[in-house]
Amino acid sequence: MCFVTEGFSQGPIDGFYRGKGNLTSVMGFGFEDNQNYLIGITESDLSRTLVYTNLFSAFGLSEDLDAQVSIPYMASDDNQDFQDLSLFLKYRFVKVNLENSRLDISLGLGFSTPLSDYDIGGLNDIGQQATIFDSRLVLHYQLENGWFGTATSGYSLKLEEVPNSFPLILKVGKAAGKWYYDVFYDFQNAIDGIDYRGTPSPQNFRELEVDYHKIGTTLFRNISGNFGAYINYSNVFAGRNVFQGSRYSLGVVWDFKKK
């Protein structure tokens, strides 16, 4: 059921696996209410709203290997189009069964690239037109009663002038019965980019250094059979060259298990 943690507000992968032959598909919808923009690290009165929808699917190639794809469509003012296609493989290479718990260590490798020629050069941009190669190491510890903790970090290699970055996601929650819920902290530190309205001028928006600190929570419930729904809230409360404010999302989930 923990597909809801992927592809929306908490990074591209988590510590859960679908199982061989099982497929999960999610249709999500979101809204961002951005009250101010950080010019470098200085708050401004620049604001915007953004709405999006995202199609996410994950398939279990084996008990320890998942493949997943994410396709988002975003709209901010007059800028609206498909954003960046994301593909990921996640492999669990360590699985330690303890007395009342389990520790998994996984490696994720991903690739994303723009799906459309969306505009860049303004605060209503929906992306930075970057091709990205991602690597993630995931430590996932789970108790028999469903409580878990996950730590994810790695490196994002970004082509075409966009600064590379280090991510970090810390998450605790519970996955048991028909319910799933978590709270999380999501951090990104980009490397050696420039600040908005800084130098050089005119600016290349692809070179902006985008850092952020984000906290949030997710709640999911299975409704009937292979169908469920989730809600998610997150808030960017600090960073660099990033909009601050609340993000809200909800969606429906179909979970198809191999018979």
Side-chain angles (χ1 to χ4, degrees):
M1 62 177 65
C2 301
F3 40 79
V4 298
T5 68
E6 300 180 5
F8 299 99
S9 298
Q10 306 176 48
I13 61 173
D14 63 14
F16 294 92
Y17 284 80
R18 275 68 194 161
K20 184 177 181 178
N22 297 330
L23 172 69
T24 296
S25 292
V26 182
M27 177 63 75
F29 307 89
F31 171 76
E32 294 188 7
D33 181 23
N34 299 301
Q35 296 299 313
N36 66 78
Y37 182 79
L38 292 175
I39 299 175
I41 58 174
T42 304
E43 289 191 5
S44 72
D45 59 358
L46 300 172
S47 63
R48 75 167 185 179
T49 59
L50 182 145
V51 296
Y52 63 87
T53 182
N54 187 64
L55 177 63
F56 170 86
S57 291
F59 181 74
L61 297 171
S62 73
E63 293 301 313
D64 299 312
L65 179 64
D66 277 7
Q68 62 188 58
V69 60
S70 177
I71 303 175
Y73 186 93
M74 298 188 173
S76 177
D77 196 25
D78 291 332
N79 290 344
Q80 49 186 301
D81 215 326
F82 288 99
Q83 194 211 35
D84 302 337
L85 169 71
S86 175
L87 302 170
F88 248 93
L89 286 175
K90 179 177 62 178
Y91 175 65
R92 177 168 52 196
F93 62 93
V94 173
K95 181 164 55 176
V96 181
N97 292 312
L98 304 172
E99 184 176 354
N100 296 305
S101 61
R102 190 182 78 241
L103 173 66
D104 296 337
I105 304 177
S106 301
L107 176 66
L109 297 176
F111 169 79
S112 64
T113 193
L115 277 174
S116 64
D117 188 25
Y118 54 80
D119 292 336
I120 53 176
L123 291 179
N124 287 306
D125 295 349
I126 61 173
Q128 288 181 287
Q129 285 281 359
T131 296
I132 304 172
F133 294 92
D134 265 314
S135 61
R136 296 286 189 274
L137 184 67
V138 184
L139 304 180
H140 180 80
Y141 178 74
Q142 185 163 353
L143 300 173
E144 285 185 351
N145 60 11
W147 284 100
F148 69 89
T150 306
T152 305
S153 189
Y155 190 73
S156 295
L157 176 65
K158 304 179 183 181
L159 306 184
E160 301 159 347
E161 306 170 307
V162 180
N164 301 331
S165 63
F166 290 100
L168 173 66
I169 301 172
L170 303 175
K171 185 188 311 178
V172 295
K174 187 174 184 179
K178 293 186 175 183
W179 292 93
Y180 168 93
Y181 46 88
D182 69 36
V183 294
F184 62 89
Y185 166 71
D186 188 355
F187 166 75
Q188 174 177 286
N189 179 39
I191 304 167
D192 295 332
I194 63 175
D195 287 335
Y196 178 58
R197 292 182 178 174
T199 55
S201 181
Q203 287 191 292
N204 181 349
F205 275 50
R206 302 175 87 177
E207 295 184 80
L208 290 182
E209 178 174 342
V210 179
D211 305 335
Y212 59 80
H213 297 266
K214 181 193 302 182
I215 56 173
T217 184
T218 303
L219 175 66
F220 165 85
R221 190 182 192 282
N222 175 268
I223 297 174
S224 177
N226 65 348
F227 178 75
Y230 77 91
I231 56 174
N232 172 275
Y233 169 80
S234 64
N235 186 280
V236 174
F237 63 91
R240 190 179 198 96
N241 303 305
V242 68
F243 279 104
Q244 294 188 114
S246 297
R247 279 84 164 144
Y248 310 88
S249 64
L250 56 85
V252 292
V253 182
W254 293 269
D255 200 13
F256 304 98
K257 293 186 179 297
K258 182 180 178 181
K259 295 182 179 180

